[in-house]
Amino acid sequence: MSRFACLLGAGLLLAPAAAWAQHAEPALARPVTGRTQLTPYPTPALADTVRARTLSEAFSRGRWHGRLRNYTMATWNQGTRPDYFANGLGTGLRFETAPLYGFQLGAGGFAWASVGSDNILTADAATGAVSRYEIGLFDVADPSRRQLAGRAEELFVRYRFRQSAVTFGRQLLNTPLLNAHDGRLSPGYAQGLWLEFRELPATTLTGGWLTHIGPRSTTGWYSVANALGLYPMGVTEAGQRASYAGNLSSRGLGVLALSRQWSPRTTTQVWNYYADNLFNATFAELTTGRAVGVGQLTLGAQYHYQRTVGTGGNADPRLAYSVPGRQAHALSARLGYQRGPWSLSANYTRITRTGRFLFPREWGREPFYTFLPRERTEGLGGLDAAAVLGGYTFARVPGLKAEVGYGHYYLPDVRDTRLNKYGLPSYQQLNASLTYPFAGWARGLRGQLLYVYKGALGNTYGEDRYIVNKVDFHQLNVILNYDF
């Protein structure tokens, strides 16, 4: 069967559903009707915030928020390859003062521990590989650690003026590429200066300069350069094991964005990320829609371009993050429809063969419409992907939502190191999820059950290193959050 026929089949096979929402898991793609973001703690709207007249009132009228989170994950690899199980339990607190002459202080932290996760470092006999997913529930920089761990996550001062705000310090940011990617126990954070300017009609200007990153699945804070390489680094374009961790230099990351609401259904946004001496990435998106009968049709289009800046982090190409002269282009499109409790979207992504799409996994996940949790397109060039995402909201059980996603992802050959950084074969993926926010006496408790299957489509040459923890496995996730 031709590649085109397989992609078309992937786009038509699944019918009833709603696109993934970044909610309970929450590393799910955006819903059919727009972008949904989850912060670790519910934050009150500006209009509802109690304002203080004195410093003591600022603290006494401040708001506390807390979270308990239990995450159970199990992966079953095919045949005699090792299976993995992990359970993580975490808790966190966040405090934000009431505004005093527009100024606010905020602080928060999170601590977690392993509860019955003994085998995540069990190595596969053929490849030496250990758990790929479960290990991310804890500290990837110290994977053998089992006792209580944690970190101070937020520590900032914020000044609000009219509808705008400027924040300095450690904070949670959600942008298309730099984001919380909160699919484990605790999300990722960033440190620096951040401005959101909302004084123009239907327009938001966003900008900032960041010096440090607190990546998900770690307990530390790292400079922009040293935050790269905490996760697996793959191989260089020449096929050698990448070794850029601790060998990069950069003064920081600058972000500038313009978002515009043209009509109730039409929006545009353009983001630029300048990582000094590493790369420059530009992301643009247009979304629009119209009423069709009793439902709504939505269209989305994304374009991404990036190029190397300076030496790519190191003058030695073997130690650089991005080879000088490298560039990459990516396109993604969505056609969606929502009617009552049902919603459905067909999605397509193309990354050209000009080079790998690179954006540090430690900084966030990509925003392309074909994204499904547990795999990314970062590190790939020459990609064709098609996915159908959808779901149903149950009227008789308020809040209960079923979601399904299925996609075919055609990648460069696993031995094409120029375009395949992590040696990942082409694959098919199925995700199915149930989410439910409890009510009544259990108000604040939210649960999710997520099932994932990945099957190989490409040639793995009979080598386990292209299979173990990459394809031909089943995974089950059970997540419970309690916010108070």
Side-chain angles (χ1 to χ4, degrees):
M1 183 180 295
S2 69
R3 174 178 293 193
F4 175 78
C6 289
L7 287 171
L8 182 60
L12 297 176
L13 181 62
L14 192 60
W20 297 97
Q22 186 183 335
H23 194 262
E25 202 264 342
L28 307 177
R30 290 171 297 163
V32 172
T33 53
R35 180 184 299 275
T36 299
Q37 295 175 345
L38 174 74
T39 57
Y41 309 101
T43 303
L46 179 60
D48 297 331
T49 302
V50 178
R51 286 167 170 76
R53 294 170 296 177
T54 66
L55 187 61
S56 62
E57 282 187 357
F59 281 90
S60 63
R61 297 183 179 182
R63 293 176 181 264
W64 285 95
H65 302 287
R67 162 168 290 187
L68 290 171
R69 183 172 173 88
N70 192 86
Y71 201 126
T72 303
M73 179 186 292
T75 302
W76 293 273
N77 281 294
Q78 185 183 66
T80 59
R81 302 178 181 98
D83 303 325
Y84 298 100
F85 172 86
N87 186 81
L89 178 64
T91 183
L93 286 174
R94 180 181 187 273
F95 177 76
E96 187 171 306
T97 66
L100 177 62
Y101 300 110
F103 287 96
Q104 289 179 280
L105 298 176
F110 197 85
W112 61 89
S114 168
V115 182
S117 311
D118 296 331
N119 75 329
I120 62 175
L121 295 181
T122 300
D124 174 63
T127 65
V130 297
S131 161
R132 179 185 177 194
Y133 300 103
E134 287 79 3
I135 199 171
L137 287 177
F138 312 114
D139 185 0
V140 296
D142 186 7
S144 62
R145 183 174 183 174
R146 291 292 177 272
Q147 65 270 32
L148 186 68
R151 70 177 172 194
E153 294 181 323
E154 290 183 279
L155 183 60
F156 62 82
V157 57
R158 175 176 294 139
Y159 177 67
R160 297 185 182 272
F161 53 100
R162 297 181 183 177
Q163 299 300 312
S164 304
V166 59
T167 305
F168 178 75
R170 297 178 175 180
Q171 55 197 292
L172 183 80
L173 298 177
N174 268 312
T175 79
L177 289 167
L178 175 75
N179 47 63
H181 58 129
D182 185 15
R184 298 297 189 272
L185 280 171
S186 184
Y189 289 82
Q191 176 178 310
L193 182 68
W194 194 258
L195 169 68
E196 291 187 352
F197 185 80
R198 303 176 182 270
E199 307 309 311
L200 302 176
T203 302
T204 300
L205 295 171
T206 305
W209 181 260
L210 306 174
T211 59
H212 291 77
I213 303 292
R216 183 191 75 179
S217 305
T218 69
T219 59
W221 283 86
Y222 304 86
S223 68
V224 163
N226 288 332
L228 279 68
L230 296 170
Y231 295 178
M233 293 177 283
V235 299
T236 67
E237 294 187 6
Q240 301 167 323
R241 184 181 296 273
S243 302
Y244 52 78
N247 294 309
L248 303 175
S249 64
S250 175
R251 291 175 293 184
L253 172 66
V255 182
L256 185 63
L258 173 65
S259 303
R260 172 79 176 178
Q261 183 89 34
W262 298 97
S263 72
R265 294 191 177 98
T266 302
T267 62
T268 57
Q269 58 175 335
V270 180
W271 292 77
N272 191 79
Y273 303 82
Y274 174 79
D276 174 66
N277 198 42
L278 294 171
F279 62 85
N280 189 85
T282 301
F283 174 83
E285 180 180 48
L286 167 67
T287 59
T288 189
R290 60 172 298 176
V292 178
V294 296
Q296 178 175 305
L297 184 71
T298 59
L299 297 171
Q302 300 173 334
Y303 171 68
H304 174 85
Y305 169 73
Q306 62 181 126
R307 61 179 179 84
T308 302
V309 170
T311 64
N314 194 304
D316 184 344
R318 298 172 299 176
L319 303 178
Y321 175 73
S322 180
V323 179
R326 186 198 59 80
Q327 58 179 330
H329 301 264
L331 299 166
S332 194
R334 162 170 288 177
L335 174 63
Y337 182 71
Q338 184 169 11
R339 179 175 178 175
W342 293 93
S343 54
L344 169 73
S345 72
N347 308 272
Y348 174 76
T349 297
R350 168 65 178 172
I351 301 177
T352 68
R353 296 185 63 86
T354 54
R356 300 170 173 177
F357 157 64
L358 294 177
F359 195 90
R361 296 189 176 199
E362 295 88 348
W363 297 4
R365 65 165 179 83
E366 62 267 16
F368 302 134
Y369 295 127
T370 50
F371 171 83
L372 287 175
R374 298 302 172 266
E375 199 51 80
R376 305 189 186 185
T377 56
E378 190 273 331
L380 296 169
L383 166 81
D384 286 291
V388 171
L389 313 173
Y392 179 78
T393 301
F394 293 84
R396 295 185 178 180
V397 185
L400 179 63
K401 187 173 185 179
E403 300 174 292
V404 180
Y406 178 76
H408 278 207
Y409 301 80
Y410 293 97
L411 283 57
D413 189 90
V414 291
R415 294 178 175 176
D416 183 357
T417 56
R418 187 182 76 87
L419 297 175
N420 197 330
K421 180 178 180 180
Y422 301 102
L424 184 68
S426 297
Y427 63 94
Q428 60 179 323
Q429 183 170 342
L430 171 68
N431 284 24
S433 171
L434 283 174
T435 57
Y436 180 67
F438 291 81
W441 65 269
R443 183 178 180 86
L445 180 64
R446 189 175 70 253
Q448 180 182 20
L449 180 67
L450 172 67
Y451 165 78
V452 178
Y453 167 73
K454 283 187 65 185
L457 293 176
N459 192 350
T460 59
Y461 299 95
E463 296 188 45
D464 283 357
R465 59 175 173 154
Y466 300 129
I467 300 174
V468 177
N469 295 329
K470 294 182 177 180
V471 291
D472 295 340
F473 68 80
H474 302 264
Q475 187 183 90
L476 189 64
N477 303 260
V478 181
I479 307 106
L480 289 173
N481 289 325
Y482 180 65
D483 292 297
F484 57 92

